[in-house]
Short mmCIF file of all heavy atoms in Angstrom, two decimals:
data_model
loop_
_atom_site.label_atom_id
_atom_site.label_comp_id
_atom_site.label_asym_id
_atom_site.label_seq_id
_atom_site.Cartn_x
_atom_site.Cartn_y
_atom_site.Cartn_z
N MET A 730 34.00 -62.52 -12.12
CA MET A 730 34.35 -61.96 -13.45
C MET A 730 35.83 -61.61 -13.43
O MET A 730 36.35 -60.90 -12.53
CB MET A 730 33.53 -60.64 -13.58
CG MET A 730 33.83 -59.90 -14.90
SD MET A 730 32.94 -58.34 -15.03
CE MET A 730 31.37 -58.88 -15.70
N LYS A 731 36.51 -62.02 -14.52
CA LYS A 731 37.94 -61.63 -14.69
C LYS A 731 38.06 -60.95 -16.03
O LYS A 731 37.53 -61.31 -17.04
CB LYS A 731 38.81 -62.95 -14.69
CG LYS A 731 38.89 -63.52 -13.27
CD LYS A 731 39.91 -64.57 -13.23
CE LYS A 731 39.87 -65.15 -11.81
NZ LYS A 731 40.72 -66.38 -11.66
N LEU A 732 38.87 -59.90 -15.99
CA LEU A 732 39.04 -59.07 -17.19
C LEU A 732 40.50 -59.06 -17.68
O LEU A 732 41.40 -59.29 -16.97
CB LEU A 732 38.69 -57.59 -16.81
CG LEU A 732 37.40 -57.25 -16.23
CD1 LEU A 732 37.22 -55.87 -15.87
CD2 LEU A 732 36.25 -57.73 -17.13
N THR A 733 40.53 -58.91 -19.06
CA THR A 733 41.82 -58.69 -19.67
C THR A 733 41.61 -57.42 -20.59
O THR A 733 40.53 -57.27 -21.06
CB THR A 733 42.25 -59.92 -20.45
OG1 THR A 733 41.19 -60.29 -21.45
CG2 THR A 733 42.58 -61.10 -19.59
N VAL A 734 42.70 -56.79 -20.84
CA VAL A 734 42.67 -55.72 -21.88
C VAL A 734 43.81 -55.97 -22.83
O VAL A 734 44.92 -56.38 -22.38
CB VAL A 734 42.75 -54.33 -21.36
CG1 VAL A 734 41.46 -53.94 -20.63
CG2 VAL A 734 43.93 -54.12 -20.40
N ASP A 735 43.61 -55.89 -24.13
CA ASP A 735 44.62 -55.98 -25.11
C ASP A 735 45.13 -54.62 -25.55
O ASP A 735 44.45 -53.91 -26.31
CB ASP A 735 44.11 -56.76 -26.28
CG ASP A 735 45.18 -57.14 -27.31
OD1 ASP A 735 46.23 -56.43 -27.33
OD2 ASP A 735 45.04 -58.05 -28.04
N GLN A 736 46.28 -54.17 -25.02
CA GLN A 736 46.76 -52.81 -25.30
C GLN A 736 47.18 -52.70 -26.70
O GLN A 736 47.27 -51.54 -27.29
CB GLN A 736 47.86 -52.52 -24.36
CG GLN A 736 47.39 -52.39 -22.90
CD GLN A 736 48.41 -51.98 -21.86
OE1 GLN A 736 49.51 -52.41 -22.02
NE2 GLN A 736 48.03 -51.23 -20.90
N ASP A 737 47.47 -53.77 -27.48
CA ASP A 737 47.89 -53.70 -28.83
C ASP A 737 46.59 -53.42 -29.72
O ASP A 737 46.70 -52.83 -30.78
CB ASP A 737 48.50 -54.98 -29.35
CG ASP A 737 49.90 -55.07 -28.71
OD1 ASP A 737 50.46 -54.17 -28.27
OD2 ASP A 737 50.30 -56.34 -28.54
N LYS A 738 45.39 -53.81 -29.27
CA LYS A 738 44.19 -53.58 -29.98
C LYS A 738 43.54 -52.17 -29.69
O LYS A 738 42.94 -51.55 -30.50
CB LYS A 738 43.13 -54.65 -29.74
CG LYS A 738 43.23 -55.89 -30.34
CD LYS A 738 42.09 -56.85 -29.98
CE LYS A 738 42.10 -58.14 -30.57
NZ LYS A 738 40.94 -58.97 -30.09
N CYS A 739 43.73 -51.79 -28.47
CA CYS A 739 43.12 -50.52 -28.00
C CYS A 739 43.49 -49.37 -28.85
O CYS A 739 44.71 -49.15 -29.11
CB CYS A 739 43.58 -50.28 -26.55
SG CYS A 739 42.90 -48.75 -25.88
N CYS A 740 42.55 -48.54 -29.23
CA CYS A 740 42.78 -47.32 -30.01
C CYS A 740 42.74 -46.03 -29.12
O CYS A 740 42.76 -44.96 -29.68
CB CYS A 740 41.88 -47.24 -31.20
SG CYS A 740 40.20 -46.95 -30.80
N GLY A 741 42.51 -46.28 -27.89
CA GLY A 741 42.44 -45.07 -27.03
C GLY A 741 41.23 -44.21 -27.02
O GLY A 741 41.19 -43.07 -26.62
N ALA A 742 40.07 -44.83 -27.51
CA ALA A 742 38.83 -44.12 -27.60
C ALA A 742 38.18 -43.69 -26.22
O ALA A 742 37.57 -42.69 -26.18
CB ALA A 742 37.75 -45.00 -28.40
N GLY A 743 38.51 -44.51 -25.28
CA GLY A 743 38.12 -44.05 -23.95
C GLY A 743 36.61 -44.48 -23.58
O GLY A 743 36.22 -44.02 -22.46
N ALA A 744 35.97 -45.15 -24.36
CA ALA A 744 34.54 -45.41 -24.01
C ALA A 744 34.54 -46.30 -22.78
O ALA A 744 33.59 -46.08 -21.96
CB ALA A 744 33.91 -46.19 -25.28
N CYS A 745 35.46 -47.17 -22.59
CA CYS A 745 35.41 -48.04 -21.40
C CYS A 745 35.59 -47.29 -20.06
O CYS A 745 34.96 -47.46 -19.15
CB CYS A 745 36.56 -49.16 -21.50
SG CYS A 745 38.16 -48.39 -21.72
N VAL A 746 36.41 -46.19 -20.19
CA VAL A 746 36.69 -45.40 -19.02
C VAL A 746 35.40 -44.60 -18.64
O VAL A 746 35.04 -44.40 -17.46
CB VAL A 746 37.90 -44.39 -19.25
CG1 VAL A 746 38.15 -43.58 -18.04
CG2 VAL A 746 39.07 -45.23 -19.62
N LEU A 747 34.66 -44.15 -19.67
CA LEU A 747 33.43 -43.40 -19.47
C LEU A 747 32.34 -44.37 -18.79
O LEU A 747 31.65 -43.94 -17.90
CB LEU A 747 32.89 -42.82 -20.72
CG LEU A 747 33.74 -41.71 -21.37
CD1 LEU A 747 33.01 -41.24 -22.68
CD2 LEU A 747 33.74 -40.53 -20.38
N SER A 748 32.39 -45.59 -19.25
CA SER A 748 31.38 -46.51 -18.67
C SER A 748 31.69 -46.98 -17.31
O SER A 748 30.85 -47.14 -16.45
CB SER A 748 31.29 -47.78 -19.61
OG SER A 748 30.88 -47.33 -20.91
N ALA A 749 33.03 -47.32 -17.03
CA ALA A 749 33.34 -47.92 -15.80
C ALA A 749 34.71 -47.26 -15.24
O ALA A 749 35.76 -47.92 -15.37
CB ALA A 749 33.51 -49.44 -15.96
N PRO A 750 34.64 -46.02 -14.87
CA PRO A 750 35.91 -45.37 -14.50
C PRO A 750 36.71 -45.95 -13.29
O PRO A 750 37.89 -45.70 -13.13
CB PRO A 750 35.44 -43.96 -14.19
CG PRO A 750 34.00 -44.07 -13.87
CD PRO A 750 33.47 -45.22 -14.75
N GLU A 751 35.93 -46.85 -12.51
CA GLU A 751 36.67 -47.43 -11.39
C GLU A 751 37.44 -48.75 -11.83
O GLU A 751 38.21 -49.30 -10.99
CB GLU A 751 35.66 -47.71 -10.29
CG GLU A 751 35.25 -46.35 -9.56
CD GLU A 751 34.05 -46.70 -8.74
OE1 GLU A 751 33.69 -47.80 -8.41
OE2 GLU A 751 33.38 -45.64 -8.31
N VAL A 752 37.15 -49.13 -12.98
CA VAL A 752 37.73 -50.39 -13.50
C VAL A 752 38.79 -50.15 -14.62
O VAL A 752 39.82 -50.81 -14.60
CB VAL A 752 36.64 -51.29 -14.01
CG1 VAL A 752 37.16 -52.62 -14.66
CG2 VAL A 752 35.62 -51.65 -13.00
N PHE A 753 38.50 -49.12 -15.41
CA PHE A 753 39.38 -48.92 -16.54
C PHE A 753 40.04 -47.49 -16.44
O PHE A 753 39.37 -46.53 -15.95
CB PHE A 753 38.73 -49.00 -17.91
CG PHE A 753 38.05 -50.30 -18.18
CD1 PHE A 753 36.60 -50.47 -18.01
CD2 PHE A 753 38.78 -51.39 -18.54
CE1 PHE A 753 36.09 -51.66 -18.21
CE2 PHE A 753 38.24 -52.58 -18.73
CZ PHE A 753 36.78 -52.73 -18.59
N ASP A 754 41.27 -47.35 -16.86
CA ASP A 754 41.86 -45.98 -16.95
C ASP A 754 42.61 -45.87 -18.27
O ASP A 754 42.69 -46.95 -19.00
CB ASP A 754 42.79 -45.79 -15.73
CG ASP A 754 43.04 -44.24 -15.49
OD1 ASP A 754 42.55 -43.44 -16.24
OD2 ASP A 754 43.79 -43.97 -14.58
N GLN A 755 43.14 -44.79 -18.56
CA GLN A 755 43.94 -44.64 -19.76
C GLN A 755 45.28 -44.07 -19.35
O GLN A 755 45.43 -43.18 -18.49
CB GLN A 755 43.21 -43.68 -20.73
CG GLN A 755 41.92 -44.17 -21.44
CD GLN A 755 41.28 -43.20 -22.20
OE1 GLN A 755 40.52 -42.29 -21.63
NE2 GLN A 755 41.52 -43.11 -23.54
N ARG A 756 46.28 -44.48 -20.10
CA ARG A 756 47.69 -43.95 -19.92
C ARG A 756 47.75 -42.48 -20.21
O ARG A 756 47.21 -42.08 -21.31
CB ARG A 756 48.64 -44.77 -20.76
CG ARG A 756 48.78 -46.25 -20.47
CD ARG A 756 50.08 -46.96 -20.90
NE ARG A 756 50.12 -46.82 -22.43
CZ ARG A 756 50.53 -47.83 -23.15
NH1 ARG A 756 50.83 -49.03 -22.56
NH2 ARG A 756 50.72 -47.73 -24.44
N ASP A 757 48.42 -41.79 -19.43
CA ASP A 757 48.47 -40.31 -19.66
C ASP A 757 49.16 -40.02 -20.99
O ASP A 757 48.65 -39.14 -21.69
CB ASP A 757 49.30 -39.64 -18.48
CG ASP A 757 48.51 -39.64 -17.18
OD1 ASP A 757 47.28 -39.73 -17.27
OD2 ASP A 757 49.19 -39.46 -16.23
N GLU A 758 50.14 -40.82 -21.38
CA GLU A 758 50.92 -40.47 -22.47
C GLU A 758 50.27 -40.66 -23.84
O GLU A 758 50.44 -39.86 -24.79
CB GLU A 758 52.29 -41.05 -22.51
CG GLU A 758 52.29 -42.59 -22.52
CD GLU A 758 52.27 -43.25 -21.15
OE1 GLU A 758 51.68 -42.62 -20.24
OE2 GLU A 758 52.78 -44.32 -21.07
N ASP A 759 49.46 -41.69 -23.94
CA ASP A 759 48.83 -42.00 -25.24
C ASP A 759 47.41 -42.41 -25.20
O ASP A 759 46.79 -42.73 -26.27
CB ASP A 759 49.70 -43.09 -25.96
CG ASP A 759 49.83 -44.31 -25.10
OD1 ASP A 759 49.23 -44.39 -24.08
OD2 ASP A 759 50.71 -45.15 -25.51
N GLY A 760 46.81 -42.47 -24.01
CA GLY A 760 45.38 -42.76 -23.96
C GLY A 760 45.07 -44.29 -24.06
O GLY A 760 43.91 -44.62 -24.03
N ILE A 761 46.10 -45.10 -24.11
CA ILE A 761 45.84 -46.55 -24.16
C ILE A 761 45.34 -47.06 -22.80
O ILE A 761 45.77 -46.68 -21.78
CB ILE A 761 47.10 -47.36 -24.55
CG1 ILE A 761 47.54 -46.89 -25.99
CG2 ILE A 761 46.89 -48.81 -24.49
CD1 ILE A 761 46.55 -47.13 -27.10
N VAL A 762 44.34 -48.01 -22.90
CA VAL A 762 43.71 -48.51 -21.73
C VAL A 762 44.62 -49.15 -20.70
O VAL A 762 45.56 -49.90 -21.07
CB VAL A 762 42.57 -49.48 -22.15
CG1 VAL A 762 43.13 -50.80 -22.72
CG2 VAL A 762 41.56 -49.72 -21.11
N THR A 763 44.38 -48.93 -19.46
CA THR A 763 44.98 -49.81 -18.44
C THR A 763 43.88 -50.34 -17.52
O THR A 763 42.76 -49.80 -17.42
CB THR A 763 45.94 -48.94 -17.55
OG1 THR A 763 45.22 -47.89 -16.90
CG2 THR A 763 47.11 -48.46 -18.38
N LEU A 764 44.08 -51.41 -16.91
CA LEU A 764 43.12 -52.12 -16.07
C LEU A 764 43.36 -51.84 -14.57
O LEU A 764 44.46 -52.08 -14.05
CB LEU A 764 43.30 -53.65 -16.31
CG LEU A 764 42.20 -54.53 -16.01
CD1 LEU A 764 40.76 -54.05 -16.49
CD2 LEU A 764 42.44 -55.87 -16.51
N LEU A 765 42.45 -51.14 -13.93
CA LEU A 765 42.59 -50.78 -12.57
C LEU A 765 42.17 -51.91 -11.71
O LEU A 765 42.75 -52.14 -10.54
CB LEU A 765 41.76 -49.56 -12.27
CG LEU A 765 42.09 -48.23 -12.86
CD1 LEU A 765 41.11 -47.18 -12.51
CD2 LEU A 765 43.51 -47.81 -12.55
N THR A 766 41.13 -52.71 -12.07
CA THR A 766 40.52 -53.67 -11.34
C THR A 766 40.36 -54.95 -12.14
O THR A 766 39.24 -55.09 -12.82
CB THR A 766 39.15 -53.18 -10.76
OG1 THR A 766 39.36 -51.87 -10.27
CG2 THR A 766 38.61 -54.08 -9.65
N PRO A 767 41.27 -55.91 -12.10
CA PRO A 767 41.11 -57.11 -12.94
C PRO A 767 39.97 -58.01 -12.60
O PRO A 767 39.46 -58.75 -13.37
CB PRO A 767 42.45 -57.80 -12.76
CG PRO A 767 43.33 -56.72 -12.23
CD PRO A 767 42.57 -55.79 -11.47
N GLU A 768 39.54 -57.92 -11.27
CA GLU A 768 38.38 -58.82 -10.85
C GLU A 768 37.39 -57.92 -10.18
O GLU A 768 37.34 -57.89 -8.96
CB GLU A 768 38.88 -59.93 -9.82
CG GLU A 768 39.89 -60.86 -10.63
CD GLU A 768 40.16 -62.10 -9.76
OE1 GLU A 768 39.27 -62.49 -8.99
OE2 GLU A 768 41.35 -62.52 -9.84
N PRO A 769 36.60 -57.16 -10.97
CA PRO A 769 35.67 -56.22 -10.37
C PRO A 769 34.56 -56.89 -9.64
O PRO A 769 34.12 -57.99 -10.02
CB PRO A 769 35.25 -55.34 -11.66
CG PRO A 769 35.34 -56.46 -12.72
CD PRO A 769 36.61 -57.18 -12.45
N GLY A 770 34.14 -56.17 -8.59
CA GLY A 770 32.96 -56.63 -7.77
C GLY A 770 31.58 -56.57 -8.60
O GLY A 770 31.60 -56.00 -9.66
N SER A 771 30.72 -57.28 -8.10
CA SER A 771 29.38 -57.38 -8.81
C SER A 771 28.73 -56.08 -9.16
O SER A 771 28.05 -55.87 -10.05
CB SER A 771 28.45 -58.30 -8.05
OG SER A 771 28.23 -57.76 -6.76
N GLU A 772 29.01 -55.06 -8.31
CA GLU A 772 28.50 -53.78 -8.51
C GLU A 772 29.01 -53.11 -9.83
O GLU A 772 28.32 -52.17 -10.29
CB GLU A 772 28.65 -52.84 -7.37
CG GLU A 772 30.15 -52.36 -7.16
CD GLU A 772 31.11 -53.31 -6.38
OE1 GLU A 772 30.70 -54.56 -6.26
OE2 GLU A 772 32.03 -52.86 -5.79
N HIS A 773 30.02 -53.62 -10.40
CA HIS A 773 30.62 -53.09 -11.57
C HIS A 773 30.29 -53.90 -12.84
O HIS A 773 30.58 -53.47 -13.96
CB HIS A 773 32.18 -53.04 -11.49
CG HIS A 773 32.59 -52.05 -10.36
ND1 HIS A 773 32.26 -50.69 -10.33
CD2 HIS A 773 33.40 -52.20 -9.31
CE1 HIS A 773 32.83 -50.16 -9.30
NE2 HIS A 773 33.49 -51.01 -8.62
N HIS A 774 29.71 -55.07 -12.69
CA HIS A 774 29.62 -56.00 -13.81
C HIS A 774 28.78 -55.41 -14.93
O HIS A 774 29.16 -55.58 -16.11
CB HIS A 774 28.96 -57.31 -13.39
CG HIS A 774 29.98 -58.11 -12.50
ND1 HIS A 774 29.64 -59.46 -12.10
CD2 HIS A 774 31.18 -57.81 -12.02
CE1 HIS A 774 30.70 -59.94 -11.36
NE2 HIS A 774 31.69 -58.96 -11.35
N ALA A 775 27.67 -54.72 -14.68
CA ALA A 775 26.83 -54.23 -15.69
C ALA A 775 27.61 -53.19 -16.52
O ALA A 775 27.60 -53.14 -17.79
CB ALA A 775 25.49 -53.66 -15.15
N ALA A 776 28.34 -52.31 -15.80
CA ALA A 776 29.09 -51.26 -16.50
C ALA A 776 30.26 -51.88 -17.32
O ALA A 776 30.55 -51.40 -18.35
CB ALA A 776 29.62 -50.29 -15.49
N VAL A 777 30.89 -52.93 -16.75
CA VAL A 777 31.96 -53.58 -17.49
C VAL A 777 31.41 -54.22 -18.76
O VAL A 777 32.12 -54.21 -19.81
CB VAL A 777 32.64 -54.58 -16.58
CG1 VAL A 777 33.57 -55.51 -17.28
CG2 VAL A 777 33.45 -53.88 -15.45
N ARG A 778 30.34 -54.94 -18.65
CA ARG A 778 29.77 -55.54 -19.81
C ARG A 778 29.36 -54.49 -20.95
O ARG A 778 29.68 -54.66 -22.11
CB ARG A 778 28.52 -56.35 -19.53
CG ARG A 778 28.80 -57.61 -18.72
CD ARG A 778 27.58 -58.47 -18.63
NE ARG A 778 27.84 -59.55 -17.58
CZ ARG A 778 27.32 -59.47 -16.37
NH1 ARG A 778 26.51 -58.50 -16.00
NH2 ARG A 778 27.60 -60.40 -15.45
N GLU A 779 28.90 -53.39 -20.50
CA GLU A 779 28.56 -52.22 -21.42
C GLU A 779 29.84 -51.77 -21.94
O GLU A 779 29.91 -51.54 -23.21
CB GLU A 779 27.86 -51.17 -20.65
CG GLU A 779 27.44 -49.99 -21.52
CD GLU A 779 26.93 -48.85 -20.64
OE1 GLU A 779 27.50 -48.46 -19.80
OE2 GLU A 779 25.73 -48.53 -20.93
N ALA A 780 30.88 -51.61 -21.22
CA ALA A 780 32.21 -51.07 -21.74
C ALA A 780 32.73 -52.08 -22.80
O ALA A 780 33.24 -51.57 -23.89
CB ALA A 780 33.18 -50.89 -20.56
N ALA A 781 32.71 -53.34 -22.51
CA ALA A 781 33.22 -54.24 -23.44
C ALA A 781 32.46 -54.25 -24.75
O ALA A 781 32.96 -54.43 -25.83
CB ALA A 781 33.28 -55.71 -22.85
N ALA A 782 31.21 -54.13 -24.66
CA ALA A 782 30.28 -54.09 -25.83
C ALA A 782 30.50 -52.82 -26.64
O ALA A 782 30.47 -52.77 -27.92
CB ALA A 782 28.83 -54.17 -25.44
N MET A 783 30.93 -51.74 -25.99
CA MET A 783 31.00 -50.44 -26.63
C MET A 783 32.48 -50.26 -27.29
O MET A 783 32.68 -49.44 -28.06
CB MET A 783 30.73 -49.31 -25.76
CG MET A 783 29.28 -49.10 -25.42
SD MET A 783 29.04 -47.80 -24.14
CE MET A 783 30.13 -46.56 -24.58
N CYS A 784 33.37 -51.04 -26.75
CA CYS A 784 34.79 -50.83 -27.21
C CYS A 784 34.83 -51.15 -28.73
O CYS A 784 34.48 -52.10 -29.21
CB CYS A 784 35.69 -51.88 -26.48
SG CYS A 784 37.40 -51.74 -27.08
N PRO A 785 35.32 -50.13 -29.49
CA PRO A 785 35.35 -50.25 -30.93
C PRO A 785 36.31 -51.27 -31.45
O PRO A 785 36.15 -51.60 -32.62
CB PRO A 785 35.67 -48.76 -31.35
CG PRO A 785 36.42 -48.26 -30.23
CD PRO A 785 35.73 -48.84 -29.04
N THR A 786 37.28 -51.71 -30.70
CA THR A 786 38.29 -52.65 -31.17
C THR A 786 38.14 -53.97 -30.44
O THR A 786 39.08 -54.79 -30.65
CB THR A 786 39.62 -52.01 -31.03
OG1 THR A 786 39.96 -51.84 -29.65
CG2 THR A 786 39.88 -50.72 -31.73
N ALA A 787 37.17 -54.18 -29.67
CA ALA A 787 37.02 -55.47 -28.98
C ALA A 787 38.27 -55.77 -28.11
O ALA A 787 38.75 -56.92 -28.16
CB ALA A 787 36.59 -56.63 -29.88
N ALA A 788 38.87 -54.78 -27.48
CA ALA A 788 40.03 -54.97 -26.72
C ALA A 788 39.91 -55.51 -25.35
O ALA A 788 40.82 -55.85 -24.57
CB ALA A 788 40.87 -53.68 -26.70
N ILE A 789 38.66 -55.57 -24.92
CA ILE A 789 38.26 -55.91 -23.50
C ILE A 789 37.82 -57.31 -23.49
O ILE A 789 36.82 -57.61 -24.14
CB ILE A 789 37.25 -54.91 -22.89
CG1 ILE A 789 37.78 -53.52 -22.92
CG2 ILE A 789 36.93 -55.38 -21.50
CD1 ILE A 789 36.71 -52.49 -22.55
N GLY A 790 38.47 -58.20 -22.77
CA GLY A 790 38.04 -59.59 -22.58
C GLY A 790 37.35 -59.71 -21.17
O GLY A 790 37.91 -59.31 -20.21
N VAL A 791 36.16 -60.30 -21.21
CA VAL A 791 35.36 -60.54 -20.11
C VAL A 791 35.13 -62.10 -19.86
O VAL A 791 34.60 -62.67 -20.76
CB VAL A 791 34.00 -59.88 -20.04
CG1 VAL A 791 33.22 -60.09 -18.82
CG2 VAL A 791 34.17 -58.35 -20.28
N ARG A 792 35.71 -62.57 -18.74
CA ARG A 792 35.36 -63.98 -18.41
C ARG A 792 34.43 -63.97 -17.30
O ARG A 792 34.88 -63.58 -16.16
CB ARG A 792 36.74 -64.74 -18.25
CG ARG A 792 36.52 -66.19 -18.38
CD ARG A 792 37.91 -66.92 -18.44
NE ARG A 792 38.27 -67.18 -16.98
CZ ARG A 792 39.59 -67.26 -16.62
NH1 ARG A 792 40.51 -67.09 -17.53
NH2 ARG A 792 39.87 -67.48 -15.31
N GLU A 793 33.27 -64.54 -17.53
CA GLU A 793 32.34 -64.56 -16.41
C GLU A 793 32.70 -65.76 -15.61
O GLU A 793 33.18 -66.83 -16.09
CB GLU A 793 30.91 -64.78 -16.96
CG GLU A 793 30.57 -63.70 -18.00
CD GLU A 793 30.08 -62.47 -17.34
OE1 GLU A 793 29.85 -62.42 -16.11
OE2 GLU A 793 29.69 -61.49 -18.05
N SER A 794 32.40 -65.76 -14.28
CA SER A 794 32.68 -66.84 -13.45
C SER A 794 31.58 -66.89 -12.36
O SER A 794 31.17 -65.86 -11.78
CB SER A 794 34.00 -66.75 -12.69
OG SER A 794 34.19 -65.43 -12.14
N GLY A 795 31.17 -68.13 -12.13
CA GLY A 795 30.12 -68.30 -11.11
C GLY A 795 28.80 -67.66 -11.40
O GLY A 795 28.53 -66.73 -12.05
S1 SF4 B 1318 36.98 -48.68 -25.25
FE1 SF4 B 1318 38.43 -50.10 -26.11
S2 SF4 B 1318 39.63 -48.88 -27.59
FE2 SF4 B 1318 38.60 -47.42 -26.25
S3 SF4 B 1318 40.04 -47.13 -24.56
FE3 SF4 B 1318 38.75 -48.64 -23.85
S4 SF4 B 1318 39.84 -50.62 -24.46
FE4 SF4 B 1318 40.74 -48.97 -25.61
#
């Protein structure tokens, strides 16, 4: 699984960080998403899919592999 985040779309809602705090973080200054783990291990996949589905601006891109 490979992830991208679009910081121009992100509105800083933080839903992704609540779902997968080891994968996503938010910038201190404005709450915009940052990616901690671009290729998360399988133990994070369910949480990452949930985060992408919950993101109100569809800023999280998930590319499944294998
Ligand atoms: S859920 Fe979406 S809009 Fe909210 S912080 Fe994460 S990427 Fe940004």
Side-chain angles (χ1 to χ4, degrees):
M730 174 185 277
K731 289 190 179 170
L732 301 180
T733 56
V734 291
D735 187 337
Q736 293 180 324
D737 293 333
K738 282 187 183 175
C739 175
C740 68
C745 55
V746 180
L747 291 176
S748 295
E751 290 165 11
V752 178
F753 303 102
D754 200 359
Q755 288 174 277
R756 296 197 300 223
D757 286 340
E758 62 270 31
D759 55 11
I761 297 300
V762 68
T763 60
L764 199 48
L765 298 176
T766 312
E768 296 188 35
S771 57
E772 70 274 23
H773 296 303
H774 287 186
V777 167
R778 290 189 194 103
E779 183 185 54
M783 285 172 47
C784 177
T786 62
I789 300 171
V791 179
R792 202 171 81 207
E793 306 278 355
S794 52

